[in-house]
Structure formats: C-alpha cells, structure tokens
Amino acid sequence: MTILVTGGAGFIGSNFIFYELEHHPEDRIVCLDKLTYAGNLSTLKDVLDLPNFRFIRADICDREAVYRLFEEEHPDMVVHFAAESHVDRSIENPGVFLETNIMGTAVLMDACRKYGIRRYHQVSTDEVYGDLPLDRPDLLFTEETPLHTSSPYSSSKASADLLVMAYHRTYGLPVSISRCSNNYGPYQFPEKLIPLMIANCLANKPLPVYGKGLNVRDWLYVEDHCKAIDLIIRNGREGEVYNIGGHNEMANIDIVKLILKELGKSEDLITYVTDRKGHDMRYAIDPSKIHAELGWLPETMFAEGIRKTIRWYLDNREWWETIISGEYKDYYRKMYENR
Ligand code: NAD
Ligand code: DAU
C-alpha cells in the first residue's frame, strides 16, 4: 500500500514516517512537504534513499502539483499533517493559516475524490474544543464536545475538520479525524514550549513564561501519537473522530522547572512575560473511545519521555542550532524582545 504523508518534514509527520517505515516496511511512503520555515529535509536524511520512500517538495495549496502527484502515485491513503502549527504565529499573521490549513485541506480532499482513496486521515488538534477552566478538573474534552475555538490557528483547524466531515457526508469520502493533545519529543521546532526552554536553558538565556505559567496542557510523547494514528488509519472506523491524549496534565511553570532541574540550571532563569492574547487556560482529553475501540493507551510516561527528549536535544545540537541561527533569530527578537 502507498501512504501519502503531507508535512512529513515537520515534527510529528517525520516521527510518523519513521514509525511507519519501521513497523510496516511492506508499505511505500510518499512525503509531500513545502519545506516552510518549519520543515527540514535533514530530519529525513536517514530515509531519503530507501527504495520504499519518496520525497516531493510541493505546496498542498498547489492543485496542479497535488493532482500530478496523485496521478503518479495513486496513494491508497493520505495522512494529512501539513499545516501552519504555531499559535503565536497565527496571532501575528492569520492569513497563511487560513490558506494552508483550510484551502490546502480542500485541495487534498478534491484530489482524493478525483483519483479515489481508501482512507483520508485528518490530523487535528484538541485546540478545536477551546479551553477548560482550571477549577473543574472533572471536565475533559470528548469527541462530542462542541467546537469552540480561540486563536486563528485553532479556528483554521476546526474549519478544516468541518470541511472533512462535509466531504464525508456529501461525497462519501472515507475520512477519519484524530484530535490530539500537546506532543513533545525529537525534531520539534524550537519555537514550541519544551524545545524553546531546553535551548534557552543550554544557552543560559531567560526562559520566557507567558502570564503566570499556570496554563495547563496534556502532554503526549510523539511516538504514542504516531501509534494512535497508525491504528486509526488501519483499524479505525470511517467517518469517526478519535481523541488522543496522555492523561498527563501539567502547568507550564512545572514543565519549565523540571527542565531546569534536569539540566542543573537555576530557577533564576525564569522570566515571566506578557501573556499570549486569548491564551487557552487548560486542555484535557478523554481518550476512552480510542482505548475502547482500538486498544490504544499512551506507553511513554512523562518522566521518561521528557528525559529522552532532553537527551535527544543534547545529542543533536547541530539540528536545532542550525535552525536557531537562521531566520529564527528575527522571529525570536520580534516575539520576545521587550515583551
Ligand atoms: P510542524 O510545524 O512541525 O510541521 C508542519 C510541516 O508542514 C512542515 O514540515 C512544513 O514544511 C509543512 N507545511 C506547512 N505548510 C505547508 C504547505 N502549504 N504545503 C506543504 N507542506 C506544508 O507541525 P507539527 O507540530 O508536526 O504538527 C503536525 C500536524 O499535527 C498539524 O496539522 C498540527 O495541527 C497537528 N497537531 C500538532 C500537535 C503538536 O503538539 N505539535 C498536536 C496536535 C495536532
Ligand atoms: O494542543 C495541541 C496543540 O499544541 C497543537 O495543535 C499546536 O500545533 C501546538 O503548537 C501546541 O499548541 P500550544 O499553544 O499549546 O503549544 P506551545 O508550545 O506554543 O505552548 C505551550 C504552552 O506554553 C502554552 O500555554 C503557551 C506557553 N508558552 C509557550 C511558549 C512558546 C510559554 O509560556 N512560553 C513560550 O515561550
């Protein structure tokens, strides 16, 4: 079977490609990626020459290029990761989020309708449900929780989800959607909380914590997310949404303190900065549906996962130091200087 993976030069997409090539070597993986600031071909260096792997640089919004690829490869499945993924960037510049996350999704599904597909899988996010209050630990997002978004990023992802369900109902496209909580692990772009704090810690730079650092996220090791998607595309039901989460809620400040402790640095590096606009307070996923239907459970506990992640960033300095020495410097200055 041929699986088209979009956004495979990014964080989760690349980890998913490694997972598939290891666990299903009989399948062929075709990766389509535009290589935006967040995509990095060097991440895929170990698989680029494999006979059952092909990389194509293209924009999912480029209908002609996408159709051409479908004509050449006739994928059996599409697993759609490609997206603008950073909330802070969406607050600065919403336009590209609407273009890539909504219009790009429509182009891919049009290609699936035109050429046929066994499964189109949309990689979505728990952010489509909005946020939960800190004082109601009993509340969790289920698949029935209404969509209620806060940022341009989450609104674009929710719009894409609605479009996916519309293509299922209107055209009978065989779709599935997964909505996952915050991922962490190897190859995450250093603009996101955990790698940013690791990189700053190692450079003895201030650690910019938004607001009071009390916002809560439900952290999941990236390989567990990849395993869940693999189960859904192979055994999950068509037309269904599956929530994926780690049952691992943590306040940002506790994550930052843990990273400082693991790296033997002082808490004096913590700097509280102006809060993110519209900042979601708490995300928490109820993953009982995917557990009951597909037997999925997170396997990597946070204490182990964060150690493995810190180790990876220590062992792969070249990967992220190259990134933060480029245009990222301008981004960092714009977002954090005088904040
Ligand atoms: P990322 O930003 O690390 O990677 C995105 C990839 O998509 C990059 O390789 C980029 O080059 C590519 N891309 C962007 N625009 C494109 C376009 N127009 N055409 C082709 N390729 C394009 O993102 P990530 O963190 O790996 O997230 C992947 C997916 O998972 C996203 O859809 C995101 O919404 C979703 N998600 C992420 C998390 C998380 O914690 N990171 C959690 C839940 C869901
Ligand atoms: O929940 C899933 C989502 O998780 C995904 O859909 C998104 O693609 C992904 O980026 C992530 O969104 P968040 O906004 O939760 O992740 P981020 O790493 O940007 O921030 C995590 C928390 O840390 C959030 O409460 C904001 C805070 N933060 C972040 C940064 C970058 C800081 O306090 N300081 C920072 O410098």
Side-chain angles (χ1 to χ4, degrees):
M1 151 165 103
T2 297
I3 306 176
L4 174 60
V5 177
T6 69
F11 167 44
I12 310 174
S14 60
N15 278 283
F16 180 75
I17 288 172
F18 303 146
Y19 186 91
E20 289 301 301
L21 288 170
E22 186 186 340
H23 293 87
H24 303 282
E26 70 285 4
D27 289 337
R28 173 172 165 75
I29 304 288
V30 177
C31 170
L32 180 158
D33 198 297
K34 184 181 178 183
L35 298 182
T36 65
Y37 80 91
N40 199 330
L41 199 52
S42 78
T43 300
L44 297 171
K45 64 179 181 342
D46 291 342
V47 302
L48 280 176
D49 293 330
L50 293 180
N52 59 340
F53 181 78
R54 177 182 175 196
F55 178 82
I56 292 281
R57 184 173 192 180
D59 186 335
I60 52 166
C61 301
D62 181 346
R63 192 172 287 273
E64 222 174 276
V66 170
Y67 284 13
R68 203 178 316 124
L69 185 61
F70 270 71
E71 239 156 58
E72 287 168 15
E73 294 287 349
H74 286 286
D76 300 284
M77 290 197 184
V78 172
V79 185
H80 179 35
F81 292 92
E84 288 293 333
S85 70
H86 193 35
V87 174
D88 291 328
R89 289 187 193 250
S90 83
I91 294 166
E92 292 301 304
N93 180 18
V96 66
F97 283 74
L98 309 186
E99 194 59 41
T100 291
N101 298 359
I102 306 173
M103 298 310 292
T105 297
V107 169
L108 281 171
M109 289 194 298
D110 284 340
C112 293
R113 285 173 57 210
K114 187 171 160 71
Y115 295 96
I117 201 80
R118 259 164 62 187
R119 177 63 64 87
Y120 170 89
H121 184 75
Q122 178 75 7
V123 181
S124 187
T125 167
D126 61 357
E127 297 202 12
V128 299
Y129 299 122
D131 65 350
L132 296 164
L134 285 185
D135 60 358
R136 289 290 308 273
D138 55 312
L139 294 181
L140 303 173
F141 297 135
T142 73
E143 289 80 1
E144 275 69 50
T145 302
L147 304 190
H148 185 79
T149 58
S150 312
S151 69
Y153 162 71
S154 55
S155 306
S156 68
K157 293 294 288 184
S159 306
D161 283 12
L162 291 172
L163 209 53
V164 171
M165 292 320 273
Y167 272 56
H168 175 61
R169 177 166 170 155
T170 306
Y171 306 116
L173 199 72
V175 305
S176 46
I177 297 179
S178 53
R179 294 183 179 142
C180 190
S181 60
N182 286 61
N183 284 213
Y184 68 102
Y187 298 107
Q188 186 166 32
F189 195 85
E191 68 192 351
K192 305 285 166 56
L193 179 76
I194 288 179
L196 184 146
M197 295 300 167
I198 296 172
N200 281 20
C201 235
L202 291 172
N204 293 311
K205 278 173 60 178
L207 308 187
V209 173
Y210 299 168
K212 296 192 171 96
L214 299 178
N215 305 65
V216 166
R217 299 291 183 263
D218 173 2
W219 292 94
L220 182 71
Y221 193 63
V222 63
E223 199 181 353
D224 280 324
H225 185 188
C226 297
K227 187 174 183 187
I229 294 174
D230 180 65
L231 284 169
I232 295 169
I233 60 172
R234 291 168 196 275
N235 305 321
R237 287 184 294 140
E238 213 179 284
E240 292 292 319
V241 175
Y242 293 91
N243 281 354
I244 307 169
H247 272 312
N248 180 52
E249 290 181 51
M250 290 184 73
N252 295 338
I253 189 66
D254 293 331
I255 302 240
V256 171
K257 286 183 179 169
L258 189 69
I259 292 170
L260 281 164
K261 193 164 168 230
E262 287 291 328
L263 289 171
K265 302 282 176 155
S266 157
E267 288 188 8
D268 293 346
L269 284 175
I270 295 174
T271 313
Y272 292 94
V273 300
T274 308
D275 211 349
R276 174 184 280 174
K277 290 188 183 107
H279 199 173
D280 281 337
M281 206 60 223
R282 169 178 167 248
Y283 302 144
I285 279 275
D286 173 0
S288 48
K289 178 174 171 180
I290 188 170
H291 175 57
E293 283 190 23
L294 303 174
W296 179 87
L297 275 178
E299 286 169 22
T300 303
M301 294 301 105
F302 190 76
E304 180 199 348
I306 193 73
R307 254 177 233 128
K308 279 208 284 198
T309 303
I310 292 173
R311 186 76 259 154
W312 188 88
Y313 280 88
L314 285 168
D315 292 345
N316 293 274
R317 273 176 173 268
E318 203 191 327
W319 182 87
W320 56 270
E321 281 179 348
T322 308
I323 292 171
I324 63 172
S325 65
E327 63 178 298
Y328 181 80
K329 272 189 183 159
D330 296 332
Y331 165 81
Y332 197 89
R333 220 174 285 125
K334 187 171 163 214
M335 301 300 276
Y336 292 99
E337 231 173 56
N338 307 318
R339 183 167 179 156

